[in-house]
Amino acid sequence: MRMVDDGPGSPAPGGDDLPDIVDVVMEMGHSLTEVPSPSPLPAHLENLAGRARDYVEAASSANTRRAYASDWRHFSSWCRRQGLEMLAPDPQVVGLYIAACASGAVTGNKNANAVSTIERRLSSLAWNYAQRGQPLDRKDRHIATVMAGIRNKHAAPLRQKEAVLLEDIIAMLETLDRGTLRGLRDRAMLLLGFAGGLRRSEIVALDVGRDQTEDGRGWIEILDKGMLVSLRGKTGWREVEVGRGSSDATCPVVAVQTWLKLARIAHGPLFRRVTGQGKAVGADRLNDQEVARLVKRTALAAGVRGDLSEGERAKLFAGHSLRAGLASSAEVDERYVQKQLGHTSAEMTRRYQRRRDRFRVNLTKASGL
């Protein structure tokens, strides 16, 4: 473990930002270290370097990059306060850092981080060091043993969002005003998110057609029997088939078509802000937080889980409730649900299947007791 001198004459440690493309592509030093700055690239390679930077950004989502940057700043600030070197990946320093996170000793508010947050911070550190060409050995005993102890002592049961089932979705739709553009948009988002088993980020990232915007991560194609949704996720592209409903009132395809027609959208982002007291449609794409707010607002207005208090209900619903709702409602072979959700394992799909009738299958009676 190396201590650093934070005296007036010593250079201030940098590196709170994400690594520059020069670090990634050419493995040259950046202002993070005390080595001389790299020589400028030859003119004929500048365009290629720009393209490489775009590819590095495309390797992870904007949310992931923001989380990585935030976690690196968190770690850097703690190292500076402790007078510890952070630029070289020292397992002992990292082990002390995650112990401080678990005990609430990183900041002055004494708030301990959840185990999931600590695991994310550890992943962020590993990623940041890897981009600098300095791999962090997460299996080193100073890290692995401390992390195992943190999990054993502080891990809490997984808190899952409530699944909105078929009857819930129908009740939630009734809370929306069909006579307004906002109501039509929200109706289309709820039905598409539920029937497609989509994440909130996937819903708002859709375009009307292929390759229409730079920030789009998918598009729709309306066919006779349904709608084909092409999505670009963490592991590549996948297609989601959304069939037509049994009636126009609950059909996701009809809802999307109605929204597009009355909002006069033919190109660009599928779901946009509605402005001017609900009478005009803007050009900007919705933020994925709007999906979470929509699910929470309509679920509460529809009285879903009315057996609980208002405060308890408010914590139950979010964008993930739509995805879990499809997995819990569809009475089909599990493999079809797994494909729709884009899961690589059946075990992950089963985590989403949350029925309120927990004892629908009674193995006690089935065993003869």
Side-chain angles (χ1 to χ4, degrees):
M1 184 191 304
R2 271 210 308 152
M3 307 293 287
V4 295
D5 180 9
D6 282 337
S10 61
D16 286 355
D17 57 332
L18 290 175
D20 191 84
I21 186 64
V22 178
D23 295 316
V24 179
V25 178
M26 304 190 67
E27 297 185 2
M28 292 182 176
H30 192 45
S31 58
L32 299 172
T33 65
E34 298 177 21
V35 300
S37 298
S39 302
L41 286 172
H44 70 283
L45 290 180
E46 288 182 358
N47 288 339
L48 187 59
R51 182 66 61 85
R53 180 181 289 108
D54 292 339
Y55 285 140
V56 168
E57 291 187 357
S60 56
S61 69
N63 287 340
T64 299
R65 292 194 299 274
R66 282 193 292 269
Y68 284 164
S70 175
D71 289 337
W72 181 258
R73 287 193 296 269
H74 191 264
F75 174 65
S76 301
S77 298
W78 178 81
C79 285
R80 282 195 290 270
R81 289 194 300 272
Q82 307 305 318
L84 297 173
E85 173 63 63
M86 72 198 180
L87 297 180
D90 186 336
Q92 190 172 359
V93 170
V94 174
L96 291 175
Y97 168 69
I98 61 176
C101 289
S103 60
V106 174
T107 58
N109 59 20
K110 305 296 183 182
N111 290 333
N113 289 151
V115 174
S116 59
T117 301
I118 298 172
E119 290 177 331
R120 190 204 67 218
R121 294 196 193 282
L122 189 54
S123 296
S124 297
L125 296 186
W127 184 89
N128 275 280
Y129 278 125
Q131 304 315 303
R132 292 167 170 81
Q134 298 176 306
L136 174 66
D137 183 8
R138 295 177 60 173
K139 295 182 180 179
D140 184 280
R141 63 184 179 86
H142 292 100
I143 298 176
T145 307
V146 172
M147 195 66 233
I150 290 173
R151 292 191 189 99
N152 288 339
K153 188 171 183 179
H154 298 293
L158 183 63
R159 293 182 179 179
Q160 297 179 314
K161 292 300 180 182
E162 182 81 2
V164 289
L165 306 180
L166 174 61
E167 61 271 22
D168 301 326
I169 283 290
I170 294 175
M172 290 160 65
L173 292 174
E174 291 301 316
T175 69
L176 301 174
D177 186 352
R178 300 186 189 186
T180 65
L181 287 173
R182 182 175 288 110
L184 293 175
R185 180 202 66 191
D186 291 350
R187 186 180 190 84
M189 285 199 298
L190 285 178
L191 284 170
L192 179 58
F194 180 82
L198 305 182
R199 300 176 177 87
R200 68 187 193 190
S201 59
E202 294 173 336
I203 296 172
V204 300
L206 290 172
D207 287 340
V208 178
R210 181 172 185 167
D211 299 332
Q212 292 185 343
T213 65
E214 291 186 0
D215 62 337
R217 299 183 67 83
W219 66 89
I220 64 170
E221 183 180 359
I222 297 178
L223 307 172
D224 289 341
K225 294 185 178 181
M227 179 165 50
L228 187 63
V229 181
S230 298
L231 297 167
R232 183 173 64 193
K234 297 179 180 179
T235 58
W237 287 94
R238 68 186 180 96
E239 290 184 341
V240 174
E241 299 167 356
V242 179
R244 292 185 180 270
S246 55
S247 71
D248 287 353
T250 57
C251 176
V253 183
V254 171
V256 170
Q257 288 178 306
T258 303
W259 157 246
L260 289 175
K261 179 181 179 180
L262 297 183
R264 298 181 180 179
I265 298 174
H267 186 278
L270 176 58
F271 295 117
R272 313 175 181 193
R273 295 194 176 281
V274 176
T275 59
Q277 296 181 338
K279 299 180 180 179
V281 178
D284 296 336
R285 186 184 306 278
L286 278 183
N287 184 286
D288 64 351
Q289 289 288 342
E290 294 296 330
V291 179
R293 295 188 187 104
L294 170 63
V295 173
K296 183 185 292 290
R297 183 176 68 252
T298 54
L300 294 179
V304 181
R305 291 307 307 269
D307 55 308
L308 302 176
S309 69
E310 190 75 10
E312 291 175 316
R313 294 171 63 219
K315 297 177 182 178
L316 286 179
F317 302 102
H320 230 63
S321 297
L322 297 175
R323 195 164 158 83
L326 175 72
S328 302
S329 299
E331 296 285 354
V332 297
D333 190 303
E334 189 178 75
R335 58 181 173 169
Y336 295 114
V337 178
Q338 180 181 337
K339 179 180 181 295
Q340 190 83 339
L341 298 183
H343 290 155
T344 57
S345 69
E347 178 59 33
M348 178 59 71
T349 301
R350 294 185 190 110
R351 295 183 187 179
Y352 283 73
Q353 296 171 328
R354 302 192 284 276
R355 293 185 175 275
R356 291 185 196 143
D357 182 7
R358 294 181 180 274
F359 300 99
R360 184 172 61 93
V361 176
N362 189 328
L363 292 182
T364 303
K365 290 184 179 179
S367 68
L369 295 179

